[in-house]
Amino acid sequence: MRRWNGWGDEAQDYPLNEVARGFLRERVGQGSANRDASLESVLAGVAPSRLANGPFLTDAASRAQHARGQSYPDWLALRYGKLGPVADAVALPTSSEEAEAALAAALKLGAVVIPYGGGTSVVGHLDVPVSDRPVVNIALGRYNKLRELDERQWIARFDAGTPGPLVEAQLRERGFLLGHFPQSYEYSTVGGWVVTRSSGQQSLRYGRIEQLFHGGRLATPRGVFNIGGLPASSAGPDLREALMGSEGRLGLLTEVSVRLRRLPTHEDFHAVFFPTWDLGCEAVRHLAQADLGLSLLRLSNEVETETQLALAGHEKLIAWLRRYLKVRKVGEQPVMLLVGTTGNHREVLRLKREALAICKQFRGVNTGRAIGKGWAKNRFRGPYLRNSLWELGYGADTVETCVGWNNATATMRAIEEAARSLFAAENEKVHCFTHLSHVYRQGCSVYSTFVFRAGGDYERDLERWTRLKRRLSETIVAHGGTISHQHGVGRDHAPYLAQEKGELGMDLIRAMAREFDPQGQMNPGKLFA
Amino acid sequence: MRRWNGWGDEAQDYPLNEVARGFLRERVGQGSANRDASLESVLAGVAPSRLANGPFLTDAASRAQHARGQSYPDWLALRYGKLGPVADAVALPTSSEEAEAALAAALKLGAVVIPYGGGTSVVGHLDVPVSDRPVVNIALGRYNKLRELDERQWIARFDAGTPGPLVEAQLRERGFLLGHFPQSYEYSTVGGWVVTRSSGQQSLRYGRIEQLFHGGRLATPRGVFNIGGLPASSAGPDLREALMGSEGRLGLLTEVSVRLRRLPTHEDFHAVFFPTWDLGCEAVRHLAQADLGLSLLRLSNEVETETQLALAGHEKLIAWLRRYLKVRKVGEQPVMLLVGTTGNHREVLRLKREALAICKQFRGVNTGRAIGKGWAKNRFRGPYLRNSLWELGYGADTVETCVGWNNATATMRAIEEAARSLFAAENEKVHCFTHLSHVYRQGCSVYSTFVFRAGGDYERDLERWTRLKRRLSETIVAHGGTISHQHGVGRDHAPYLAQEKGELGMDLIRAMAREFDPQGQMNPGKLFA
């Protein structure tokens, strides 16, 4: 059963032992456990629907269930029972025809439509606007089948609502794999990946969604638009690229064709430690530019390395590691690089040899596969940590960007410094740490996590987060970074998009949306105001 | 000195010996040498400029020089001295500022603007419209410098008018390479590659222009638009992808940043022969899907294999090859695959081993590097053959598309059959042959060449070509192929674009152009009517 006010399945958690708790107390302060609002009280507060007696579900539970995503404001709203605006109705189509019929019916009612995939947005893609018009969620959670698999052309067509595990399970049976593994993988959907221009943990091998999205069927207010479906073309602008990142503004994506790989037979993740951030960062740049064909490069900075080891709470392993790194002269503040090698047996051996040779030039010390195995096992469990933290009285959020190599370190330091100092006047500490996890020949993503004390006061928590988000977004934009490398724009990042795209670029995006959706009924307020 | 009415430098030619001529006589019939119009007579026919006394060049020679590209109708126009409409004026900027000033001045005059890069379009991108408005060519031939090279981030910024050899020469000095090698490489420009969404011979390794284009500066009627410049982003639609393939309709591209590679140290091209087309085609599909990291896979069908050997005219080599292939049981109608391996010494050895192992599964026989060396040496000389053919009384043209693997052979056969039978009633033969040269996991490009008798009668030649082009374009579209994999749309392919993009897709493209160019002054008639 999925949690209604937190991340993931209720049967799964991310326990923190005393070592981990002590670390948090030291870095952030003593938290105090939060008391959450009950689901009953939340449902009791849901306003009457303006679309009663229509073709859609209008019960409070269905509407509340689709009202929020996983942004920090969403989180606070759910935990404090301050749900805010809720859609008037929910459609749960199980086929392309039903989805298109739901869209047509909603538009005919003059409603605003919010497409809802897995509900994992962390930037407000699902925010329900306060509107004179009624609001309908078209939720694709029951629309999740593999419809066609071309084993000769390596193309699969999925229902847009298919979440990660169902994508891979349906492909695995036939010996194929998509390879798109965002941290939200358990719930996020193939359609959501496309419209938010998503990127998975192993994009280094498998590509971003841009490289995986073959074509699709988009239901727009002006009719159905079939898009893409060719291996390559020079015939005019690539309209798949207009759809990717359109965040619902162009229509409702109902079918998605993707480009596949054969299932690899071997995969390893090696943990390599470097004495300093600068050495690790240079190693990663050289690895990225060597273009070996690795499947993962993920460099944690000093604090993230330390934090990961502490939160894992595995004292013996840590002690062994510290001794080993001391012997190998890596020093007291190591940074950790995970190196993913995927393919057949021979490829994996070759990739390991070539990657470690480059690491060695930068004094990297390989500690083998034990840590990497743990990472792989828990790769989608990160978000569960947020539940555990909250129960201990801590909030957590992340920001991320992508910059050129010349800016990576400065951007990271500026983000962390801004966060650490922001609440000093209030005597509140922010624990923050960063990794680079998506690398390109020209630059890399920068992904920072923040942990701070929270709980007890909705207004105060939201105000602090708002200040933090604004400060960090301004810092990112000031360093020439994109406002998002992998989370998208939604409502939270919309104020910063123009600085990246330019006013003419914003005009171009608005012109496209207007062309398909002249009445502005498709997910208004997201991507641009 | 560049030929004014044919391909390339006057000092270069592509001589055909008696073996080659005999082959053509047998396959197409006896040609009769053409007598071309003189440059003087062409210039004498250039109409007076409507923009005399303005800021631009208006002499007949400058205007005639930029009136045409390299499409077959362009070719006939120049050879027969039927130049057709010519721009009223030409601007030859040498800087971004001058280019932007020229654009502003032209727009202010109410002119239609045709951006002109290397003049190598084969689909009518440069056609001068018959218009009540004056027409200005902004020609970037003198605007060709490397302006910035970031050796840490592997990014170079070029003037948009920089042609292939100047791109690579300026990078090579610093140990870098772009790796974009279309057949038009000698003259086509980095800006032209971007706006026509071009692809080079070794796109398998280096990527299409989509993977190489980092960002740029676009002068639009509404002002300057800076586009891209990030390694990756999930923040909304990727507007670089709106510019690529826009064919001048959005503005004048003046600066182009590209993503680089280090110069490789080793490169080989192996020629592998297969007994049948179907075996060769299956081998190529498996090679493409194995994703080894090869730099070229180019499979010629039976007739292209035979034609290439015959036109090379190298009797001894051919005789040896035939004997060898007989001994190795490849048969009388072999198909030839060129396999490119690029990288360091070790990579090249590994790639060879892995590629040849796959070829062997499909009865492919490696004949070594001699043929591949010849191909590499002459890789940009193909267009010169058109000059030689014309002088012997033959015309030549090509069509190309991209389809899924399931359609590749059927599309190829249908194209060839349509061409071969088209002029049967007139007792004229069309010699045609095909290769697959750009391969993807999902499919491949199909590139067919046609040789037919021509010359002596402009109207008849143009009418025959028009029939051929229409018939082949319809065949491509009917097989679900893109109307162009690498040449773009221009005027010749515009009638077929809607079938590929859909009416809503065309609306989206038109909406984008309208947004930046409300008066329709930028290269009207190209891409869409």
Side-chain angles (χ1 to χ4, degrees), chain B residues 458-511:
Chain B
Y458 174 71
E459 305 295 341
R460 190 198 58 202
D461 282 2
L462 185 60
E463 186 277 332
R464 277 197 186 145
W465 175 85
T466 304
R467 254 193 293 157
L468 182 68
K469 182 73 177 176
R470 188 186 309 130
R471 177 74 168 275
L472 298 179
S473 299
E474 288 167 356
T475 302
I476 285 169
V477 170
H479 280 77
T482 172
I483 195 60
S484 177
H485 170 271
Q486 63 206 64
H487 290 160
V489 177
R491 196 144 81 174
D492 297 348
H493 290 157
Y496 307 96
L497 189 61
Q499 211 157 330
E500 180 172 339
K501 300 289 189 190
E503 281 308 327
L504 283 173
M506 293 306 297
D507 284 350
L508 208 59
I509 293 170
R510 281 188 285 258

Side-chain angles (χ1 to χ4, degrees), chain B residues 266-502:
Chain B
H266 289 71
E267 183 157 80
D268 286 323
F269 300 96
H270 292 265
V272 181
F273 287 78
F274 294 87
T276 68
W277 169 258
D278 287 342
L279 282 167
C281 196
E282 275 299 278
V284 169
R285 180 172 71 86
H286 279 80
L287 284 164
Q289 293 178 340
D291 216 359
L292 303 177
L294 298 169
S295 68
L296 178 88
L297 285 169
R298 181 189 165 108
L299 180 71
S300 298
N301 72 1
E302 305 89 338
V303 183
E304 181 167 302
T305 300
E306 185 184 14
T307 303
Q308 283 184 327
L309 295 175
L311 293 191
H314 199 319
E315 285 182 276
K316 276 186 186 165
L317 175 66
I318 298 170
W320 171 84
L321 188 68
R322 292 220 174 275
R323 279 196 307 273
Y324 180 71
L325 293 179
K326 198 173 169 187
V327 170
R328 298 290 307 271
K329 301 195 194 324
V330 176
E332 296 292 316
Q333 288 273 294
V335 301
M336 183 176 82
L337 173 68
L338 283 179
V339 179
T341 56
T342 306
N344 62 33
H345 186 54
R346 203 171 54 191
E347 280 169 328
V348 164
L349 289 178
R350 173 175 61 79
L351 289 168
K352 175 189 166 186
R353 189 183 64 237
E354 294 178 355
L356 293 181
I358 293 175
C359 289
K360 217 169 167 185
Q361 292 171 32
F362 299 90
R363 300 178 54 201
V365 170
N366 179 24
T367 62
R369 293 178 294 182
I371 292 175
K373 260 191 193 143
W375 176 84
K377 193 177 151 206
N378 293 313
R379 60 195 292 185
F380 307 123
R381 285 188 65 231
Y384 287 92
L385 176 60
R386 211 185 200 184
N387 301 335
S388 309
L389 288 171
W390 182 258
E391 283 152 23
L392 295 172
Y394 303 109
D397 200 17
T398 62
V399 301
E400 39 86 46
T401 182
C402 182
V403 292
W405 286 116
N406 293 344
N407 269 350
T409 298
T411 304
M412 174 185 82
R413 300 283 185 224
I415 289 171
E416 293 198 347
E417 179 50 35
R420 282 202 189 100
S421 60
L422 193 61
F423 304 132
E426 292 141 85
N427 270 321
E428 287 294 333
K429 291 192 272 190
V430 176
H431 179 62
C432 65
F433 48 87
T434 300
H435 61 252
L436 317 181
S437 53
H438 296 256
V439 300
Y440 306 89
R441 297 202 303 281
Q442 280 63 47
C444 61
S445 70
V446 176
Y447 189 105
S448 299
T449 302
F450 310 92
V451 183
F452 39 84
R453 293 205 294 186
D457 185 333
Y458 174 71
E459 305 295 341
R460 190 198 58 202
D461 282 2
L462 185 60
E463 186 277 332
R464 277 197 186 145
W465 175 85
T466 304
R467 254 193 293 157
L468 182 68
K469 182 73 177 176
R470 188 186 309 130
R471 177 74 168 275
L472 298 179
S473 299
E474 288 167 356
T475 302
I476 285 169
V477 170
H479 280 77
T482 172
I483 195 60
S484 177
H485 170 271
Q486 63 206 64
H487 290 160
V489 177
R491 196 144 81 174
D492 297 348
H493 290 157
Y496 307 96
L497 189 61
Q499 211 157 330
E500 180 172 339
K501 300 289 189 190

Side-chain angles (χ1 to χ4, degrees), chain B residues 80-92:
Chain B
Y80 283 104
K82 308 275 189 181
L83 196 55
V86 169
D88 294 281
V90 176
L92 289 172

Side-chain angles (χ1 to χ4, degrees), chain A residues 152 222 261 282 291 507, chain B residues 152 222 282 291 507:
Chain A
R152 203 160 172 273
R222 288 188 47 210
R261 305 265 181 164
E282 275 299 278
D291 215 359
D507 284 348
Chain B
R152 204 160 171 273
R222 289 189 46 210
E282 275 299 278
D291 216 359
D507 284 350

